[in-house]
Amino acid sequence: MPYINGLGVYAPEKIIDNAYLEKLVETSDEWITSRTGIKRRRMAADDEITSDLACKASLAALKDCGRSVNDITHVFVSSASPDALCPVTACVLIRKLGIKGVMAFDCNAACSGFINALQLANYTAMADPNAVILVVAAEIMTRKLDWTDRTTCVLFGDGAGAVIVSRNLPQNPQGFCAEIDDILIDTDGEFSELISIHAGGSRQRYSVGDPVDRNYFISMNGREVFKQAVRSMVEAARSILERNRLSLEDISLVIPHQANDRIIQAVGDRLDVPVDKLFSNVSEYGNTSSASVTLALHDARNADLMPKGGRVLLTTFGGGFIWTAALLNIL
Ligand code: ACO
C-alpha cells in the first residue's frame, strides 16, 4: 500500500481572536466559545494568496521527508478558496516551487478535499510505482466570508497542509510516515444548497460593474449542517472500522474535521471515543476547510499523540455534501 511520508503545514502569522470579531459584528467571545469552541483563527496577510500558503506547506512536507522538489511527479491541490478560477492554483504552485512537466491540477471537495485528494494520490501511487505525489490542502477562507454575517464570519480561518505520497518508505526516518490503510468517501448532492457560495461561477450571471453582494460569500444553514455533519462522520467512521474488522480499541487517535468543537464532541460521544483519543485544535484555527485535518495531524504529531505502531482514524465532512473516513497506520 502507498505511504504518506512527509507532513508540513503553514498557518499565517496574523491571529484574529474573538474579541476582534466583537468589534465587527454583534457577537461575543462567550457565544462563539460556547457554540463552537473557537477562540482564535489565522488570517492571511493582504499580499498572501492561496498558492503562497500551499508553497510554504509543500516545502515543509518535503523537508520533513528529506526529498527535493525535483522528486515530485504529481501535484494535487485541494482548495475551496483557490487563487482564482483560472489559472489553476496547482500550476501557480509548481511555478513557485520551481518545477515543470509534472501532472498538476486542483480538486475541490469543500472541507473533505484533502481526503479526496489523498485518495487520488493513493490510486496514482498504486498505478505508478515511481510516482511521488505532493498533496496540498490550502485555504484562505477569510476571503470567502461576508464580514457582516455573524452566523458564518466567526467560524472560519486560513491555513495549509501538505503530504508526500509514494510507494517508497521515507528517506528521513524522523519524518512523518504512515501507511494509507483504507479510505472511504461518500456523497449526497441532495443537500448541496445547505452550504454554498452562490455567485462567482456560472449559475449567477454577472457583468462588469455589478456590485459584489453577499452571494459571493459563504452562506450556510448552520443547524442543519450540524446534524448532517455529525450523522455522516459517525456513519463513515463506523463503516470503515467495520469493513476493516476493527473496533475503536484498535484506534489510537480519532481526528474529525475541525469545524466546531460541539460537532467533534458529538461525533466522539456517538462513537464512544474516550476523551484522550479524540483530537481537537479548532480553538486555535477555526474551520480551515480542507486544510483542517492536515493542521490537526501536524499538531497531534507534535503533541506525541500518534505513536509509531498506532492507528489513526480521520473523518471529514463538507459542502456537497461529501464525507469521508481514512485509516492510517503510523510507522
Ligand atoms: N454571535 C451571536 N449570536 C449568533 C451568532 C454569533 N456569531 N451567530 C448566530 N447567532 C444567533 C442566531 O442569530 C440565533 O439567534 P435567534 O435565536 O435570535 O435567531 C441564535 O444565535 C441561535 O442560532 P443557531 O443557528 O440556532 O445557533 P446554533 O446553536 O445552531 O449554533 C452554529 C450555530 C455554531 C453555526 C452551529 O449551527 C454549527 O456549528 N453548525 C455547523 C456549522 C459548521 O461547522 N459548518 C461547517 C461544517 S461543513 C464545512 O466545514 C463547510
Side-chain angles (χ1 to χ4, degrees):
M1 292 294 270
Y3 302 99
I4 294 177
N5 48 68
L7 166 68
V9 299
Y10 172 70
E13 276 172 30
K14 186 170 175 185
I15 296 173
I16 303 288
D17 62 12
N18 293 344
Y20 176 91
L21 295 174
E22 285 176 357
K23 294 182 204 131
L24 293 185
V25 286
E26 201 182 324
T27 191
S28 65
D29 174 47
E30 194 281 323
W31 192 97
I32 301 170
T33 307
S34 62
R35 302 290 176 125
T36 73
I38 301 167
K39 295 301 278 183
R40 52 195 73 82
R41 66 288 288 148
R42 302 299 180 95
M43 184 187 259
D46 288 348
D47 61 354
E48 273 181 320
I49 58 174
T50 304
S51 55
D52 294 323
L53 275 57
C55 187
K56 287 181 173 152
S58 303
L59 292 173
L62 286 163
K63 188 173 174 203
D64 188 47
C65 64
R67 285 188 186 271
S68 119
V69 284
N70 298 316
D71 296 334
I72 296 169
T73 58
H74 299 70
V75 178
F76 304 153
V77 174
S78 148
S79 187
S81 51
D83 285 0
L85 285 180
C86 186
V88 169
T89 303
C91 292
V92 181
L93 172 62
I94 62 165
R95 188 182 77 216
K96 289 177 179 174
L97 290 172
I99 51 174
K100 291 181 182 194
V102 300
M103 179 177 172
F105 70 101
D106 295 355
C107 29
N108 177 1
C111 298
S112 289
F114 173 70
I115 301 293
N116 277 262
L118 185 66
Q119 180 69 309
L120 209 51
N122 194 26
Y123 290 151
T124 304
M126 284 184 202
D128 177 355
N130 298 316
V132 177
I133 306 132
L134 169 63
V135 180
V136 195
E139 306 283 6
I140 301 191
M141 296 305 291
T142 58
R143 293 204 190 128
K144 295 288 172 196
L145 297 175
D146 169 1
W147 289 96
T148 66
D149 176 9
R150 68 177 181 173
T151 67
T152 52
C153 77
V154 302
L155 302 176
F156 294 89
D158 304 336
V163 296
I164 312 292
V165 174
S166 74
R167 292 229 317 241
N168 304 316
L169 280 167
Q171 302 179 353
N172 173 13
Q174 312 309 322
F176 179 78
C177 185
E179 186 183 12
I180 303 170
D181 212 8
D182 192 14
I183 294 179
L184 175 158
I185 294 173
D186 207 343
T187 51
D188 188 343
E190 286 300 316
F191 300 101
S192 53
E193 297 306 314
L194 293 182
I195 309 173
S196 73
I197 300 177
H198 196 83
S202 64
R203 83 176 183 182
Q204 179 171 309
R205 284 168 183 270
Y206 49 96
S207 310
V208 174
D210 284 355
V212 173
D213 60 24
R214 62 181 45 178
N215 285 338
Y216 287 81
F217 303 100
I218 290 179
S219 71
M220 181 168 62
N221 177 336
R223 216 175 271 187
E224 209 42 51
V225 170
F226 191 107
K227 282 192 251 167
Q228 296 293 341
V230 174
R231 192 175 301 148
S232 306
M233 285 194 279
V234 167
E235 179 194 293
R238 283 194 181 131
S239 300
I240 203 167
L241 288 173
E242 202 178 298
R243 79 184 187 187
N244 286 278
R245 295 188 175 81
L246 296 170
S247 78
L248 269 170
E249 280 168 21
D250 302 304
I251 303 297
S252 41
L253 193 66
V254 178
I255 302 182
H257 171 47
Q258 304 289 304
N260 174 323
D261 235 351
R262 283 195 301 149
I263 295 178
I264 294 168
Q265 296 306 327
V267 169
D269 287 350
R270 294 212 190 161
L271 289 173
D272 215 5
V273 182
V275 189
D276 58 334
K277 282 190 182 182
L278 185 66
F279 188 80
S280 174
N281 64 357
V282 73
S283 61
E284 302 308 303
Y285 300 106
N287 181 349
T288 57
S289 191
S290 71
S292 102
V293 285
T294 63
L295 289 161
L297 275 170
H298 178 264
D299 285 4
R301 174 199 188 191
N302 282 353
D304 278 332
L305 293 173
M306 296 194 294
K308 286 185 195 296
R311 226 188 232 110
V312 173
L313 169 60
L314 302 166
T315 177
T316 69
F317 175 84
F321 290 147
I322 304 174
W323 62 98
T324 77
L327 283 172
L328 304 180
N329 290 331
I330 307 299
L331 301 176

